[in-house]
Amino acid sequence: AQSVTQLDSQVPVFEEAPVELRCNYSSSVSVYLFWYVQYPNQGLQLLLKYLSGSTLVKGINGFEAEFNKSQTSFHLRKPSVHISDTAEYFCAVPGAGSYQLTFGKGTKLSVIP
Amino acid sequence: GAGVSQSPSNKVTEKGKDVELRCDPISGHTALYWYRQRLGQGLEFLIYFQGNSAPDKSGLPSDRFSAERTGESVSTLTIQRTQQEDSAVYLCASSLGPGGGTEAFFGQGTRLTVV
């Protein structure tokens, strides 16, 4: 079965500080991994995805994530956050049918001025 | 259209009434998904359509929920005899096709409140 665990439900961080949002997965099929962001009152937007190749994936808005197979993790990082990064972040992995995404419960990132 | 469009954006209904939620996918996208997002929860898969294949309804929580899609166009999600636990944001997404690596594009959702 495919599942995703986001270890932190809320992460407060000061502006210009680094941040890491944690995600661990379990999957019995080929591993594709996604991070989506949801700004207030909006739908989800793709931040980045890992399909194959380099384990360090760069996405939009300065975010990056590293696929670690041995630790079954796909943590999201940003070296310096901005107020505009305040949002909810979801890690996701394709489901058993390899098409519908299984999402974690989300991590709310609050950037403090 | 330029993106996935959902209507209405907000819906307040009385317990026991039926509601219909609409999703217009991105033109050319053969795959369409419905998810439910309850307050403080992740996204819960409801149903998946791919072209003219039989939909995957494995995520529908009860027989009060149903969805239709005509070809590769508009989809409607219908909830009959709404209950308070149906209150949630219902998100629709579409993608170019099946395959785990295909990006899904989401609409802004319909916020359903059952009173």
Side-chain angles (χ1 to χ4, degrees):
Chain A
Q2 286 60 237
S3 68
V4 171
T5 302
Q6 291 185 243
L7 298 168
D8 306 297
S9 59
Q10 297 190 51
V11 173
V13 63
F14 285 103
E15 192 175 14
E16 297 184 5
V19 69
E20 178 179 84
L21 306 182
R22 296 179 292 170
C23 171
N24 287 88
Y25 69 91
S26 66
S27 176
S28 58
V29 298
S30 297
V31 179
Y32 301 138
L33 291 157
F34 300 78
W35 275 100
Y36 280 82
V37 59
Q38 185 177 33
Y39 297 104
N41 300 314
Q42 294 190 24
L44 276 71
Q45 178 184 1
L46 182 68
L47 263 183
L48 51 78
K49 62 182 177 182
Y50 171 79
L51 301 182
S52 64
S54 172
T55 57
L56 183 63
V57 180
K58 294 189 182 297
I60 61 171
N61 301 338
F63 283 92
E64 63 181 31
E66 185 155 19
F67 170 60
N68 188 319
K69 188 174 182 179
S70 63
Q71 297 185 7
T72 61
S73 68
F74 191 55
H75 300 333
L76 181 69
R77 301 186 182 100
K78 186 169 182 178
S80 175
V81 295
H82 301 287
I83 296 291
S84 59
D85 293 324
T86 294
E88 191 158 17
Y89 294 78
F90 293 91
C91 185
V93 62
S98 197
Y99 44 78
Q100 52 97 346
L101 291 171
T102 298
F103 287 85
K105 292 191 173 182
T107 298
K108 289 186 178 177
L109 174 65
S110 300
V111 180
I112 305 162
Chain B
V4 177
S5 176
Q6 291 186 247
S7 60
S9 54
N10 281 283
K11 176 71 177 179
V12 180
T13 190
E14 291 181 354
K15 178 181 174 181
K17 300 282 190 183
D18 297 352
V19 294
E20 205 171 81
L21 312 180
R22 177 186 169 105
C23 172
D24 277 279
I26 293 172
S27 177
H29 281 193
T30 61
L32 187 147
Y33 317 73
W34 283 98
Y35 287 86
R36 178 169 70 177
Q37 185 178 24
R38 289 170 157 164
L39 190 64
Q41 300 294 313
L43 276 70
E44 178 187 3
F45 168 73
L46 296 178
I47 190 169
Y48 164 76
F49 295 91
Q50 169 54 42
N52 294 318
S53 302
D56 176 356
K57 303 179 182 180
S58 61
L60 294 178
S62 76
D63 59 8
R64 295 188 296 105
F65 287 72
S66 62
E68 292 184 349
R69 186 184 187 195
T70 305
E72 296 180 357
S73 62
V74 171
S75 175
T76 55
L77 176 69
T78 301
I79 309 173
Q80 296 179 309
R81 305 181 302 281
T82 52
Q83 304 294 313
Q84 288 188 329
E85 63 262 28
D86 299 335
S87 295
V89 176
Y90 290 82
L91 290 165
C92 176
S94 70
S95 66
L96 279 171
T102 307
E103 178 181 354
F105 293 82
F106 284 80
Q108 293 193 347
T110 294
R111 183 176 300 277
L112 175 65
T113 304
V114 182
V115 298

